[in-house]
Amino acid sequence: LMMSSANAQLGSVTTHMDGKGVFPSMINYLSDHLNSILNPIATVELMMATFLIGQPALTKFAQEFPTKEPIGKTGVTVDYGLIRESFAEDRYEFGMKGKFYETSKPYDPQPVQEPFYMPWYDESLGDAQFFVSPSSINSALWSFWKTGGLKFTLTDSMLPKKFPLRLNTHDLDTVFPGLKDQFGDNIPCTITAYPSTYPTVAIKDGQITLSYDGGLLTTVLQGSNNSVDALDLAANFDVVVSVTTKDKKIYPNFDTVSLKGVKVNRSQIPHLDIFKVSQNLQTVTAAVTKAVNQSVFAKGLDLPTIGGVDFTNPSVTVPGEYAVVAGTPDFSKLTENIAEVVVKIFEQQFHGAVDSAFGLKSNDDSIDFSNLLQQ
């Protein structure tokens, strides 16, 4: 969070902060809309007051923020406890664990490489920056793999209506020759993907690489209570993704999707040609990758606002070994009752920090922030 030196002429409500960033933008916005609250008193230097209020308030917020949260009914918990914070002259920085683990086994070791360093703030990316390390992502993948959360079954109803390949024995026979002859024509099927070990993510040189070792199980549904596991294959996927941003949209792209190491675990299809199956799978993988890039990713994904605050020049980049979501907050679209929101936040959350900053003592559970300004 960026801050710059400031002067406030409260007598005529001409508060202005030079420079860009969260605090200058916020103060300048408030000064244009809070004539009824900022009663004229005197000329003050706001920089020290900003530190006196901001530092204990942010520290209090970070310390009291819940650190462990179960993720629904998945059996996985995320620990985002504070591990580092610093309040520099021009920004506030904090680092959180971002570690996932099985809820029932919180102390089990994980084969996940811890990050070697904390990322550095880059002024060119914007005033607000959020970094995600591959260690956190891999910790999540490990935990969900251990609890079975990465097993996924695809049915025909999940596919788009215009998808060229349907999940039935007729269409899948083009990929797995002999399936139709063994089980009949146009019989519905499902495909289940399951990892044999936990997938891993690596971030380097502007690209994100996902490595996946696992199985593809094709099941033929011969009736409401009768299904046959027709073919169980093992394979390795390496997916390389790049990300660009433009006009407040994020554009991912599958650069390469490689399939290798295809082999048969189990098969109910007589005389299955695994070499032909491997070629067919590579053709399907290339076609699906191209379709996703052109039909889904090419349209871009909207970057959302956060808490009513829009971001100018938002970006998602992978400049080093971290993924970085960044932008400059724009407060101009906040509702006109922002003053009430700010007052309520200070009264309910930060009154202790305000007390200590101004040397006040209060037996109440809240402070009237507008009266505090007058004091």
Side-chain angles (χ1 to χ4, degrees):
L1 301 179
M2 296 291 292
M3 293 187 300
S4 299
S5 296
N7 286 289
Q9 189 75 28
L10 296 182
S12 57
V13 198
T14 57
T15 309
H16 181 75
M17 294 186 77
D18 296 325
K20 62 179 182 177
V22 173
F23 281 99
S25 300
M26 194 69 168
I27 293 297
N28 294 339
Y29 182 83
L30 290 175
S31 70
D32 293 335
H33 294 82
L34 300 188
N35 290 276
S36 61
I37 291 184
L38 294 178
N39 294 320
I41 304 172
T43 301
V44 297
E45 278 284 333
L46 284 185
M47 194 59 179
M48 186 57 67
T50 303
F51 273 113
L52 288 173
I53 297 176
Q55 184 170 5
L58 290 171
T59 300
K60 182 174 184 290
F61 175 78
Q63 291 174 345
E64 294 185 358
F65 201 75
T67 59
K68 297 179 180 179
E69 188 74 25
I71 304 176
K73 298 181 180 180
T74 62
V76 175
T77 295
V78 58
D79 181 352
Y80 37 78
L82 190 69
I83 59 175
R84 190 200 74 171
E85 66 167 340
S86 64
F87 203 98
E89 180 180 351
D90 60 348
R91 63 186 178 272
Y92 174 70
E93 299 180 351
F94 62 93
M96 297 186 296
K97 289 181 181 179
K99 183 178 181 179
F100 296 76
Y101 59 86
E102 286 185 86
T103 305
S104 60
K105 302 176 182 178
Y107 302 108
D108 275 12
Q110 298 182 6
V112 176
Q113 179 67 56
E114 297 290 338
F116 290 107
Y117 65 94
M118 295 293 289
W120 292 98
Y121 175 80
D122 185 346
E123 291 185 359
S124 66
L125 296 179
D127 293 341
Q129 300 176 20
F130 179 71
F131 300 81
V132 182
S133 75
S135 300
S136 182
I137 300 173
N138 289 331
S139 176
L141 292 172
W142 164 266
S143 300
F144 282 108
W145 173 67
K146 292 288 287 184
T147 59
L150 297 184
K151 184 177 180 180
F152 177 75
T153 298
L154 181 68
T155 65
D156 187 73
S157 61
M158 297 178 182
L159 298 176
K161 292 182 179 180
K162 295 183 179 181
F163 196 76
L165 186 71
R166 309 311 307 184
L167 294 189
N168 56 55
T169 53
H170 179 84
D171 285 18
L172 289 180
D173 189 76
T174 61
V175 184
F176 310 125
L179 182 67
K180 179 174 63 175
D181 293 339
Q182 180 69 14
F183 295 98
D185 196 15
N186 280 319
I187 307 299
C189 301
T190 63
I191 294 180
T192 300
Y194 60 94
S196 55
T197 185
Y198 81 103
T200 59
V201 166
I203 300 176
K204 189 176 182 181
D205 299 331
Q207 292 181 321
I208 303 172
T209 303
L210 170 67
S211 297
Y212 173 94
D213 287 299
L216 292 173
L217 176 64
T218 302
T219 301
V220 179
L221 307 178
Q222 295 182 321
S224 57
N225 296 316
N226 186 20
S227 61
V228 178
D229 292 338
L231 180 62
D232 186 10
L233 299 175
N236 169 262
F237 287 91
D238 284 329
V239 182
V240 179
V241 181
S242 60
V243 179
T244 57
T245 50
K246 182 181 179 181
D247 299 329
K248 296 187 179 182
K249 284 182 177 288
I250 178 175
Y251 295 88
N253 186 79
F254 286 139
D255 292 347
T256 60
V257 179
S258 61
L259 173 66
K260 55 188 177 182
V262 179
K263 63 181 181 180
V264 178
N265 289 331
R266 293 174 295 151
S267 176
Q268 297 290 335
I269 303 174
H271 313 298
L272 183 70
D273 186 346
I274 188 59
F275 180 75
K276 182 65 174 177
V277 168
S278 179
Q279 286 184 320
N280 293 342
L281 283 174
Q282 291 176 356
T283 301
V284 171
T285 299
V288 171
T289 300
K290 182 178 180 180
V292 171
N293 282 337
Q294 293 180 348
S295 302
V296 181
F297 291 164
K299 298 178 181 178
L301 307 174
D302 291 327
L303 288 171
T305 59
I306 301 175
V309 179
D310 200 359
F311 286 83
T312 59
N313 302 319
S315 64
V316 179
T317 58
V318 281
E321 297 181 0
Y322 284 80
V324 185
V325 182
T328 299
D330 177 8
F331 296 98
S332 61
K333 294 183 180 180
L334 288 176
T335 57
E336 292 302 318
N337 65 347
I338 183 174
E340 298 177 10
V341 176
V342 172
V343 169
K344 188 172 182 180
I345 290 175
F346 269 91
E347 288 181 344
Q348 294 184 353
Q349 300 294 332
F350 301 138
H351 62 270
V354 175
D355 285 354
S356 61
F358 285 89
L360 301 177
K361 294 182 179 180
S362 173
N363 295 324
D364 299 330
D365 290 333
S366 64
I367 283 184
D368 185 340
F369 189 65
S370 59
N371 286 338
L372 177 62
L373 284 177
Q374 295 181 34
Q375 295 177 36

